[in-house]
Amino acid sequence: MKRILSVALILMLVLAASAQAATLRVGMECNYAPYNWTQAEASETAVAIAAGGYADGYDVQIAKRIAEGLGMDLEIVKTEWDGLVPSLMSGVIDVIIAGMSPTEERKVTIDFTDPYYESELVVVVKKDGPYAQATSLEDLTGARITGQLNTFHYTVIDQIPQVQKMTAMDTFPTMIVALTSGTIDGYVSEKPGAISAMTSNPDLTYVEFEEGKGFECAPSDAAISVGLLKGSELLEPINEILAGISKDERQQIMDEAVANQPLSE
């Protein structure tokens, strides 16, 4: 009897240790403020990146909620945008929480949760430039516009009349440099990213279109969701966790992310 109890106790301890050690590996760029960014110093809200440094932002706070709800530790895996889906498919990461839209094209390869944020598309321009007062796509006629590589942001540029569609760029910081140097006239962004860019760079502003005069896109393109492997058992529990975060709370988290980004000071 004592032997049986000892074996049972050992098994319980092993199971407890395994549960405690379970880690949710989350992939993100850590370079897309206010959704996610990298910082050198620790803070109350930041999470250590597996390769060094710390990550913070809206996506990080959502990832923390999800990991806590699943009873798992959180590990942020800094990954280039183009490498996120391959990293998920190969098992390097468990989920993608990176400001990624659940486009129909991506749904062919991976699954997505319900949206955890919904935004609108705008165009970031120079505050003293010729397009600062634009309110419609027609007002951007002939402008030199770009977007991030392999995103739907880049595809909607074609809706601008006589647009000069510039080569897609890898990151938003790269596009900001191109804009401030005059290489481009603007780039497509979601509104939170545009506010972040404007906060960090006072010489920039963004074009917010009048109703019916902006980009046309599917509702799923303007949403942000968690990316998962096809048939992942995490889909339902993560959706339940996301359902527990109200729209007002999500906006509060986003407002705090914009205020806390490293360059906003």
Side-chain angles (χ1 to χ4, degrees), residues 62-243:
I62 295 297
K64 287 166 70 174
R65 295 289 190 94
I66 291 173
E68 181 181 359
L70 294 174
M72 303 173 73
D73 294 331
L74 174 62
E75 178 181 335
I76 301 297
V77 182
K78 187 173 181 177
T79 309
E80 294 294 329
W81 178 260
D82 284 350
L84 286 168
V85 172
S87 293
L88 178 66
M89 300 289 290
S90 64
V92 174
I93 58 177
D94 301 309
V95 297
I96 299 171
I97 306 180
M100 181 174 282
S101 299
T103 62
E104 293 303 318
E105 182 180 1
R106 293 189 183 118
K107 286 180 180 179
V108 174
T109 307
I110 63 176
D111 282 341
F112 286 95
T113 64
D114 296 332
Y116 63 89
Y117 195 77
E118 297 180 56
S119 186
E120 61 183 286
L121 290 181
V122 299
V123 175
V124 180
V125 298
K126 295 183 72 171
K127 186 177 291 185
D128 60 356
Y131 303 101
Q133 304 305 316
T135 59
S136 68
L137 294 180
E138 285 69 24
D139 291 337
L140 296 174
T141 298
R144 299 168 299 167
I145 306 295
T146 191
Q148 189 179 27
L149 184 68
N150 293 330
T151 67
F152 83 99
H153 296 176
Y154 192 65
T155 64
V156 299
I157 294 174
D158 296 327
Q159 297 178 28
I160 301 173
Q162 301 174 33
V163 67
Q164 297 184 58
K165 191 175 184 180
M166 308 299 285
T167 302
M169 299 186 181
D170 291 333
T171 68
F172 282 84
T174 302
M175 289 188 283
I176 291 174
V177 171
L179 178 56
T180 54
S181 66
T183 304
I184 60 174
D185 295 315
Y187 66 85
V188 179
S189 171
E190 290 165 12
K191 188 174 179 180
I195 295 173
S196 176
M198 186 178 65
T199 303
S200 305
N201 303 270
D203 293 336
L204 303 183
T205 187
Y206 63 91
V207 175
E208 190 167 16
F209 302 105
E210 294 180 356
E211 186 174 356
K213 296 184 178 182
F215 295 111
E216 295 182 3
C217 62
S220 60
D221 290 344
I224 301 298
S225 298
V226 178
L228 303 159
L229 284 174
K230 284 286 185 182
S232 173
E233 295 180 354
L234 294 174
L235 180 61
E236 185 175 343
I238 290 179
N239 274 337
E240 291 179 1
I241 294 167
L242 294 177

Side-chain angles (χ1 to χ4, degrees), residues 1-11:
M1 180 63 72
K2 290 183 179 179
R3 184 186 180 93
I4 294 174
L5 289 175
S6 297
V7 172
L9 180 59
I10 291 172
L11 287 173

